[in-house]
Structure formats: C-alpha cells, structure tokens
Amino acid sequence: MEPILQVSHLSVSLPGKNGPAPILKDISFSLKQGEILGLVGESGSGKSMTAFAVNQLLPGGGKSITGGSVLFAGEELTGKTEKQMQTFRGKDIAMIFQEPMTCLNPVFTVKRQMTDVIMIHEKRSRKEAEIQAADMLKKVHIRDPERTLSCYPYELSGGMRQRVMIAIALSCSPRLLIADEPTTALDVTVQAQIIFLLQEACQESGTGIIFISHDLGVVSQLCSRIAVMYAGTMAETGPASEVLKAPGHPYTKALLAAVPRFTSGGVRDRLYAIPGMVPDPSEIQRGCLFAPRCPHAMDICRTEHPPIQNLGNQHQVSCFLEKGVSRGDGIS
Ligand SMILES: Nc1ncnc2c1ncn2[C@@H]1O[C@H](COP(=O)(O)OP(=O)(O)OP(=O)(O)O)[C@@H](O)[C@H]1O
Ligand SMILES: [Mg+2]
C-alpha cells in the first residue's frame, strides 16, 4: 500500500543567533493509512518543527525548507502556496496542538467554530453542519453536546477543550492527523480517553496519525511504529515492538532507561537522566550530534555523519555502531 505520507531527506533552517540555523537535518519517515506513528525525542529535538514542516506552517514559510520532500498521498507539498495548502489543511490534514486554548478562538462559541470548519470543507448548510457538529461531540464522548456547543472555550475544562479540538480535527475525516502532545497537559484518566478516541479514528476511518509525545509509555500503548528524533535528526525508526524491546541507537536506549519504573517489590528505581544537553542548532555541528553524550562514541562519530543502517523489518538506525555492538552497552 502506498504511504499516505512520505517525508524524504527533509531539511529546515530557521534564523538563529549566528545566521540560519539547521533545525531539521535529512529527516525521512513514512506513514501508512490506518497506522499510528509515535514521534518521540527530548525537548528541542524538532518534533513540532517536523509537524509544522509537513503542514507547511513553518515560521518563515516555505523558504525555511532547504531540501527534501513531503509527499502527501503522492502529491508534493513543499513549494505549495498558502492558498493551495488551505485546501489540504483541516480537510485532508488535521492538526491537534498541545494547548487547545491557542487554537480555539476565545470569542466564538464551540458551535460557531465547529460549524464553520464543516461548512467550509464539507460544503454543508449551517443546519447540516450543526447536526454533524453535535454528532462529532457525541463521538468524542461528550455527554451533553447541545450544552457544549453553546459554550465559549473558557467555560470548558482542559479535557473538554481537548476533546472539542479532536472533534474539530476529525469532523472532516482527515486522511492524516498530526497530534502534537495532545495529552501532555491532561490527567491520566482523560489522557487514556483521548488515546482511545485516536485509536477509534484510526480503526474506523483509516486515518494515519502522527502522535508526538514525550511519554514513551503512552507511545508504546498506542503506536505501531516509532520514530526517535535527536537534535533535528532521525536517530531511529521502526516497529514499536522492536524499537522498545531491542533499540538499535544508544539514544533510544538512553531515552528508554530514563522512563521511571517500579521494581518487582514495588520500589521505584533510581531515575536515570541522560547526561549532557541537546545541542543548540545555532552552534556548528559535525559528526553524530549525540556523540558528546554517547557512552560508545568513537573518533569517527565526532567527525562524520552516521550512515543509516537497515536492521530489517523496516527498522533503521543512524549510527556507526554495529547492530550487535550497540546492543551490548551499559545502559539497560
Ligand atoms: N521560531 C523559531 N525560530 C528559530 N528556532 C526555533 C523556532 N521555534 C523552535 N526553534 C528551535 O527549533 C528546535 C526544535 O524545536 P521544536 O519545537 O520542534 O522541538 P520539540 O521536539 O517539539 O520540543 P518540545 O518537546 O519541547 O515541544 C529547537 O532548537 C528550537 O529552539
Ligand atoms: Mg514541540
């Protein structure tokens, strides 16, 4: 099956303190219909910028993309004008942001915001759009859709606002949904409900989902594939079960080791923190960007960009270490 999204060798530069700074470097990944891809990595690794690049919403516009391609259903999105992109956004490609208050308009009711989207993209009358909006709110398990429709965003709790955002995002049955940390600000029970909704959308409508998260626990429950980003590069991509059980990149191992765990006796393990910091994109960058923090860095890692290694089963790692060597390190 042809992927719904194919990102190849994508590079993005944005103005930095020393001139243009490389924010994304040679990023490649793909997403099939009905698949959920978890995009993970520390803060500043470029997850949101990847989402913005796919949607052509980068600060500075299309000229920020310095190379590579973004194919959506076989159609190249880089180079599209703002007007051309508007025919995709909201309809074929929907996005959910971490903080829904930044996306919901505070001066309009939920009804107005939902019906506007449906009327524009689905060419429905106001009456039809209102019925569809109420149906969508029921789908995201809002008990009293009529009351919620009449509310302004500030009258709703964080979890309700996030559900409204999801309802808006799903109201035009998008083929691609990008959810940028949609549950980070929510408590665990609401988080579980939102995850369930995304799974439902994926199974019922075949929507392909990019789920951006810090939380490897959530990603392991939800996603069939995982892409691990580090400092604007793609460190590892592969089936979730393999990446989580047999990570090939020392950075993925370190991220997994940093997940808080309980021992069999119910006692919390000592937390592991990855030493050092993600490099500033404005600084000159050479070799593997993880090398200064990597327990296995060799001389070559500090001077040359690591090649992509295929570990089979569409599992790829960008690292000089041999597969066998990289798995026998001290981080467990
Ligand atoms: N408007 C901007 N101009 C220049 N650089 C930016 C801009 N916004 C973000 N950056 C830089 O781009 C890099 C990637 O940022 P991005 O927001 O994609 O990270 P992230 O992985 O989403 O992090 P987080 O988990 O904190 O959301 C960071 O180094 C950040 O400082
Ligand atoms: Mg982000």
Side-chain angles (χ1 to χ4, degrees), residues 14-15 23 41-50 59 98 181 214 281:
L14 290 176
I23 299 292
E42 278 164 291
S43 188
S45 57
K47 306 181 296 294
S48 295
M49 286 298 147
T50 303
Q98 178 172 354
E181 314 233 16
H214 281 108

